[in-house]
């Protein structure tokens, strides 16, 4: 019998480890192709690890609550094969005689696989695919665009073996047109980082008998780790600017009732702000980047991360994909949908992947400004302060006078390794300009 090593697959560009939460199969259980073997959790979302082979679970290498690195072997599955079976002399002779033909067939298959492999680069996708689905896609020369277009029937919309096989069958029968494969130039591999200096350990804290000791949650530990890691990675710099949003305040007050009647959605300030940020990112594409070693990756799509509260008090950052292509109605629906599903713990793995820039609303808690920590591997994050009624100088052709205006602070944190003060300041200034130029007669 042969043995197959089940490894923890890549779950996203910023996910390096996961915690084992539940084993769905026990030692001795029979496993089918694409069966879920174990449930895992990252600091962002929970998911399952499927099997790409049929067999029997032979060994579990980690226990519940263990932390596993991406690529580590988590289980061993025993499969039917020739890995440890001795062949009879007759069988050996027959195989030797067939070797030349089999070698030719094997070479042809390898050549076809290499060609197909060039057409499917899974590292460019933010979605999770099981190893089995990837193998089928490679063998059948299914491009990444085609794979992402398949509507998955698995948990959280995951593409299963049957989904991709049905797609391949439909394509062969002419029901689906083959998409041309575009050859893309890959970014240079990330250079091996220099060994980080050891961080001095904090002095131990002694608890008295009256103090309550509370164990941090799994997600709390992971978030704490990533926050410290982000500060150690990026050179954080902040720029602050105040924006007059009186026109937005009055416009929303005027139309929110009609908006609810027509669209069935509550119009908050968040989608309005997200629209302005998406426009500014289009104007300043070098804010829509990430760093890989000594190279800069300029993102084609504008995918806005939106910090949202979870029931346990933690924050998660679901992503609005292609935010610059949405009108205000579409943005409102996307914001409300992600916020509601975050509160109900119903986000899918794809919902929290692929972000290129993040917005967080610290004004929800009454804060007028903040210094948010960058969500790696992005290079910027914008904090929206609370909207306040304040006395302000109003300039008119007849002269200046004091009036009551609705104002807020925009706090922009950016990575000074690649974003200088001019770019960081111009970007947040552009967001302010879009907000202050709001048309009070705008139709939705």
């Amino acid at each position: 019998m042969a043995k197959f090593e089940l490894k923890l697959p890549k779950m996203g560009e910023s996910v390096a480890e996961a915690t084992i939460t539940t084993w769905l199969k026990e030692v001795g259980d029979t496993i089918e192709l694409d069966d879920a073997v174990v449930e895992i959790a990252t600091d962002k979302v929970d998911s399952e690890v499927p099997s790409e082979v049929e067999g029997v679970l032979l060994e579990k290498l980690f226990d519940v609550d263990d932390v596993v690195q991406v690529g580590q072997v988590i289980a061993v599955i025993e499969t039917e094969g020739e890995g440890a079976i001795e062949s009879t002399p007759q069988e050996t002779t027959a195989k030797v005689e067939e070797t030349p033909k089999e070698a030719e067939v094997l070479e042809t298959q390898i050549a076809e696989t290499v060609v197909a492999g060039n057409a499917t680069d899974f590292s460019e996708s933010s979605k999770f695919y099981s190893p089995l689905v990837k193998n089928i896609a490679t063998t059948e020369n299914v491009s990444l665009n085609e794979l992402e277009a398949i509507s998955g029937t698995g948990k959280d919309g995951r593409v299963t073996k049957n989904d991709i096989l049905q797609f391949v069958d439909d394509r062969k029968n002419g029901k689906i047109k083959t998409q041309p494969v575009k050859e893309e130039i890959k970014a240079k591999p990330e250079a091996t980082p220099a060994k980080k200096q050891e961080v001095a350990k904090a002095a131990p804290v002694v608890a008295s008998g009256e103090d309550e000791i509370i164990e941090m949650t799994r997600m709390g530990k992971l978030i704490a780790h990533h926050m410290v890691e982000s500060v150690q990675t990026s050179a954080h710099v902040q720029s602050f600017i105040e924006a007059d949003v009186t026109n937005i305040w009055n416009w929303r007050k005027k139309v929110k009732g009609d908006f609810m009647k027509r669209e069935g959605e509550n119009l908050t300030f968040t989608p309005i702000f997200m629209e302005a940020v998406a426009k500014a990112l289009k104007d300043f594409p070098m804010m829509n980047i990430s760093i890989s070693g000594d190279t800069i990756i300029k993102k084609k799509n504008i995918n806005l991360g939106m910090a949202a509260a979870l029931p346990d008090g933690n924050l998660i950052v679901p992503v609005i994909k292609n935010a610059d292509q949405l009108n205000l109605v579409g943005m409102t629906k996307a914001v409300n949908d992600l916020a509601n599903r975050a509160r109900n713990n119903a986000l899918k793995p794809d919902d929290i992947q692929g972000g290129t820039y993040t917005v967080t609303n610290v004004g929800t808690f009454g804060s007028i400004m903040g210094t948010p920590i960058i969500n790696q591997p992005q290079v910027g994050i914008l904090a929206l302060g609370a909207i306040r009624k304040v006395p302000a100088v109003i300039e008119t052709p007849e002269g200046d006078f004091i009036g009551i205006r609705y104002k807020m602070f925009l706090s922009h944190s950016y990575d000074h390794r690649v974003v200088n003060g001019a770019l960081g300041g111009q970007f947040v200034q552009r967001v302010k300009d879009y907000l202050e130029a709001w048309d009070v007669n705008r139709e939705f």
Side-chain angles (χ1 to χ4, degrees), residues 330-347:
M331 187 75 78
T332 301
K333 290 180 182 293
V335 167
N336 291 349
D337 173 60
L338 290 174
N340 290 333
R341 287 197 283 125
R343 285 191 287 268
N344 296 322
N345 280 326
L347 290 173

Side-chain angles (χ1 to χ4, degrees), residues 423-438:
L423 175 58
Q426 288 171 348
F427 171 79
V428 72
Q429 172 71 47
R430 186 61 55 86
V431 176
K432 164 190 164 80
D433 292 343
Y434 280 125
L435 295 178
E436 293 187 340
W438 190 266

Side-chain angles (χ1 to χ4, degrees), residues 9-10 22 26 45 50 66 86 103 139 145 151 208 216 220 290 366 386 391 413:
K10 183 179 178 182
T22 306
E26 298 297 331
V45 76
D66 284 350
E86 295 184 1
T139 303
N145 290 337
S151 179
S208 68
M216 291 178 67
S290 61
S413 293

Side-chain angles (χ1 to χ4, degrees), residues 39 119 154 158 169 171 256 330-331 362:
E39 288 184 349
R158 180 165 54 85
D169 185 57
R171 190 175 64 176
K256 65 180 182 179
M331 187 75 78
V362 299

